[in-house]
Structures are given as C-alpha cells and as structure tokens.
C-alpha cells in the first residue's frame, strides 16, 4: 500500500479525533436508556470514508476500537465494539458509493441499525442465549435515530469548507 | 427506480419513519399485562425461574463463578440493583416490564428475561 504523507497525516488526525470524541462521549452516563448512545465516533468513520477512502476508514475504525478498548475497555466491551463496528463498517462500505452525497444520512442510518444488529449478535453469543433478540425493536429505533444524527453531522461536514482537506477526488 | 432510490430524501425518510412506527408499536402494543414470570439464565442455562413478579419487591442474589448480581423483582418489574462487574451496564439498564425484554450482564454471562405466558416460544 503506497501511502502519501498527506494521507497518513489525515488518517492519524482522524484517528485522534475519533478517539477523543469516543472518550468524551463515554464520560456521560447512559443510565436512563440502558447502554444506548449516539455513537458520535461514527461521524469520524464516515468522514474518513468520504475524505480518504473506504479502506482507510476501516483502518481508522480498527485503530479507534483497539486504542479505546486498551485504555478504557474490558475484553467484553472490545468484543461488542468489534461486532458493532464491523457490521456497521461493512454495510456503509457497500452503500457509500451507491448513494448521492446528499444521502449520506441514509447510509449512516443503515450503519447505525447494523451496528446494533452486530451488538445483539455479540450479546447472543456471549450470553449463550437468544434472549438479547428481545431488545431488537428498541435497538432498531435507537440505531435509526443515532444513525440519522451522526449522518446529518457527517453530511454537514462534507458540504463545509473542511472538504478542502479531502484527498478523494469527487466524480 | 434505482435512480429514485439514490436521490430521494423524502422516500428514505418515509421508509425509516415507517420502520420506527412499526418498532414502537412492537414495543408498546402486544402482550401487555399478560405475563407473570421471569427467568434468570447463566451461560444460556436456566438458573432460576421467578414465578411471580407481580407481588411486593423481593431481592435475590445470584452468585456464580463469574460474579455476583443482585436481582430485584416485584410490581411487575425486574431490575439488577447491583453487580460486581466492571461495566455496570446491567445496573444502569434500568427496569424491564414487558415480555421479551431482558437485562444482560455480559461479563457475568447473565440474562434476566421476562417471559410472557403466551409469547415465550413465539418471539424468540
């Protein structure tokens, strides 16, 4: 993989930003709505996908999950992050270039929902029972709402002056 | 058709709103008040059945090789009061009251699930 300084720098900056966002978000208690959160770090994953490329976004995501788990997590939280992150990343990779740039939010909603599917799958595997599937409607709702919010944020950033940092040339 | 799918915000908004409504109906409509029992599972195995969760609040301590959780049931609600796990997700999860809902403590491989009289087989 041939990698330019510019590309490497942008990836490093985005990794740092996503880790920071993730850590700040983790400081807020989520007591009222059991473990449901916005997933603000997903904004950075989307931005990496749009500004650099899909493969690089995968690297940024993987680094963020590994670093966040190394600093704060447990093995269990790592497993949940990987399951959710992998599912969301796969879906967004498949969809990102099939949609118009004004539909980034749609891609993000799919990402949010599949993130939660991945986490339910992980919960079923870890607890050894399919009981977690009972949470499906709640997690679909939260996935859609959180995905919508992060998607709108990413879209807003794409249509902002920050886009001059983009490496990817638009078709 | 594909072109429309790619560029219509409104179409996608409608699709997602419909899915949201279906999910919210799924949460609030069926099986209300048709249950009385809850199950505690450890590692996917039935650890204990709470036959009646409609009475006054009672407390049960679940100690396994993974750790200890204090489960409280009563008034048609079940929740985990305390746990010696690291992430405390189960404690923060709050109360559950509808069939099919569950509180999960992943570090302790523990699941507390409300099972409906009619629905325990059909929805899982």
């Amino acid at each position: 993989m041939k990698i330019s300084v510019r590309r490497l720098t942008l990836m490093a900056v985005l990794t740092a930003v996503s880790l920071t966002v993730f850590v700040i978000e983790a400081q807020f208690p989520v007591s009222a709505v059991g473990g449901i959160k916005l997933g603000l770090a997903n904004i950075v994953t989307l931005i990496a996908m749009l500004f650099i490329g899909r493969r690089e976004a995968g690297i940024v995501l993987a680094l963020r999950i590994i670093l966040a788990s190394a600093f704060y997590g447990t093995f269990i939280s790592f497993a949940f992050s990987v399951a959710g992150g992998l599912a969301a990343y796969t879906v967004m990779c498949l969809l990102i270039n099939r949609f118009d740039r004004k539909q980034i939010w749609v891609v993000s909603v799919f990402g949010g929902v599949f993130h939660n599917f991945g986490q339910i799958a992980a919960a079923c595997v870890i607890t050894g029972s399919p009981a977690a599937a009972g949470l499906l409607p709640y997690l679909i709702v939260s996935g859609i709402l959180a995905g919508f919010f992060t998607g709108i944020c990413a879209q807003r950033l794409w249509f902002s002056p920050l886009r001059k940092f983009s490496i990817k040339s638009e078709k | 058709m594909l072109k429309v799918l790619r560029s219509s915000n409104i179409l996608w908004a409608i699709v997602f709103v419909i899915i949201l409504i279906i999910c919210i109906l799924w949460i609030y409509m069926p099986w209300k008040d048709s249950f009385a029992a809850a199950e505690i599972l450890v590692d996917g195995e039935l650890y204990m059945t709470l036959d009646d969760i409609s009475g006054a609040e009672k407390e049960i301590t679940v100690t396994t090789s993974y750790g200890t959780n204090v489960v409280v049931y009563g008034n048609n609600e079940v929740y985990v009061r305390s746990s010696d796990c690291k992430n405390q997700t189960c404690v923060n999860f709050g109360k559950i009251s509808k069939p099919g809902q569950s509180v999960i403590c992943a570090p302790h491989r523990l699941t507390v699930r409300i099972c409906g009289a009619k629905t325990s087989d059909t929805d899982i």
Side-chain angles (χ1 to χ4, degrees), chain A residues 144-157:
Chain A
I144 289 178
L145 296 179
F148 176 71
F149 180 76
T150 57
I152 288 292
C153 291
Q155 200 168 318
R156 186 73 191 77
L157 287 167

Side-chain angles (χ1 to χ4, degrees), chain A residues 92-163:
Chain A
M92 294 198 298
C93 267
L94 293 172
L95 295 180
I96 192 92
N97 288 332
R98 291 177 206 280
F99 280 94
D100 197 87
R101 286 293 176 256
K102 286 199 165 69
Q103 258 88 49
I104 292 169
W105 69 274
V106 177
V107 178
S108 177
V109 167
F110 276 106
V113 171
F114 275 84
H115 175 273
N116 288 351
F117 284 169
Q119 297 215 314
I120 289 178
C124 289
V125 171
I126 291 170
T127 60
S129 85
L135 299 170
L136 207 55
Y138 299 87
L139 290 178
I140 292 175
V141 170
S142 79
I144 289 178
L145 296 179
F148 176 71
F149 180 76
T150 57
I152 288 292
C153 291
Q155 200 168 318
R156 186 73 191 77
L157 287 167
W158 174 252
F159 291 104
S160 79
L162 280 178
R163 193 159 134 197

Side-chain angles (χ1 to χ4, degrees), chain A residues 31 98 103 105 127 134 138, chain B residues 6-7 9 44 92 100-101 109:
Chain A
S31 53
R98 291 177 206 280
Q103 258 88 49
W105 69 274
T127 60
Y138 299 87
Chain B
R6 274 181 205 185
S7 55
N9 275 324
N92 292 329
Q101 287 184 321
R109 312 292 198 274

Side-chain angles (χ1 to χ4, degrees), chain B residues 1-20:
Chain B
M1 187 61 196
L2 216 66
K3 182 80 186 149
V4 177
L5 276 180
R6 274 181 205 185
S7 55
S8 168
N9 275 324
I10 297 167
L11 195 77
W12 281 106
I14 293 170
V15 169
F16 291 136
V17 167
I18 289 172
I19 297 174
L20 278 180

Side-chain angles (χ1 to χ4, degrees), chain A residues 55-67:
Chain A
R55 187 172 48 181
E56 288 81 354
I59 296 171
V60 168
L61 176 68
L63 285 173
R64 195 257 293 162
I65 290 173
I66 293 167
L67 290 172

Side-chain angles (χ1 to χ4, degrees), chain B residues 80-98:
Chain B
V80 179
R81 174 172 286 161
S82 63
S83 165
D84 56 1
C85 63
K86 275 186 186 168
N87 59 21
Q88 297 292 310
T89 304
C90 52
V91 179
N92 292 329
F93 199 88
K95 298 176 175 179
I96 56 170
S97 57
K98 295 185 186 66

